[in-house]
Amino acid sequence: MIIRDIKKCNYFKALDKTTICELLHPKNENGGLEIDYSIAHAILNVGESSLIHKLKNSVEVYYILEGKGIMHINDEEEEVRPGQVIYIPPDSKQYIENVGNKELKFLCIVYPMWNEEDEELIK
């Protein structure tokens, strides 16, 4: 049985400047996790936004847990709030900004699983 607790997760700054922890990623489980996707917990502080980036080959899904944000995908933008799911197609220019008065917290599900070579910052 594999169970992860967000309260015991090791957080770090990702390439896009969100603070994340990898909850489930097959590369971290020594073969014990038979999934082709990864799940991370992400946090953006008040007034912060992720850097503009794309995942070249992977689909990404955000599930908003807490806070209020604006999601930007290519030329579209939309306010997002808890309980909403956002689909981000592969090779899409994207970023999310925290426009609320508390931390913006969300899950990031990536298929196929996230890998460093797939992510690219956009200038």
Side-chain angles (χ1 to χ4, degrees):
M1 182 180 303
I2 298 173
I3 298 173
R4 295 290 178 262
D5 188 330
I6 286 174
K7 295 174 185 167
K8 296 178 182 176
C9 203
N10 294 319
Y11 286 86
F12 61 93
K13 279 285 189 187
L15 182 65
D16 71 355
K17 298 300 182 194
T18 54
T19 300
I20 68 164
C21 77
E22 292 181 324
L23 291 169
L24 289 175
H25 195 301
K27 74 175 173 86
N28 298 333
E29 301 300 330
N30 298 323
L33 191 59
E34 297 178 26
I35 58 175
D36 295 332
Y37 58 90
S38 58
I39 302 174
H41 182 248
I43 302 170
L44 278 174
N45 290 320
V46 174
E48 290 185 342
S49 67
S50 62
L51 297 178
I52 301 170
H53 65 287
K54 68 179 178 177
L55 297 182
K56 295 178 268 189
N57 302 301
S58 296
V59 168
E60 192 164 20
V61 173
Y62 287 176
Y63 178 73
I64 307 299
L65 298 167
E66 296 179 36
K68 183 169 87 172
I70 296 180
M71 185 71 215
H72 302 263
I73 301 174
N74 294 322
D75 295 326
E76 297 180 88
E77 66 178 59
E78 189 76 36
E79 187 174 295
V80 294
R81 60 187 183 283
Q84 292 183 317
V85 174
I86 304 142
Y87 171 78
I88 307 164
D91 207 37
S92 295
K93 180 176 76 173
Q94 61 155 304
Y95 69 101
I96 188 167
E97 56 184 314
N98 182 344
V99 296
N101 57 8
K102 63 180 183 177
E103 290 179 325
L104 177 62
K105 296 181 181 182
F106 53 101
L107 295 178
C108 307
I109 300 112
V110 179
Y111 176 83
M113 70 191 93
W114 180 88
N115 74 74
E116 188 175 359
E117 296 79 34
D118 192 35
E119 189 168 10
E120 178 182 315
L121 290 179
I122 309 292
K123 296 182 181 185

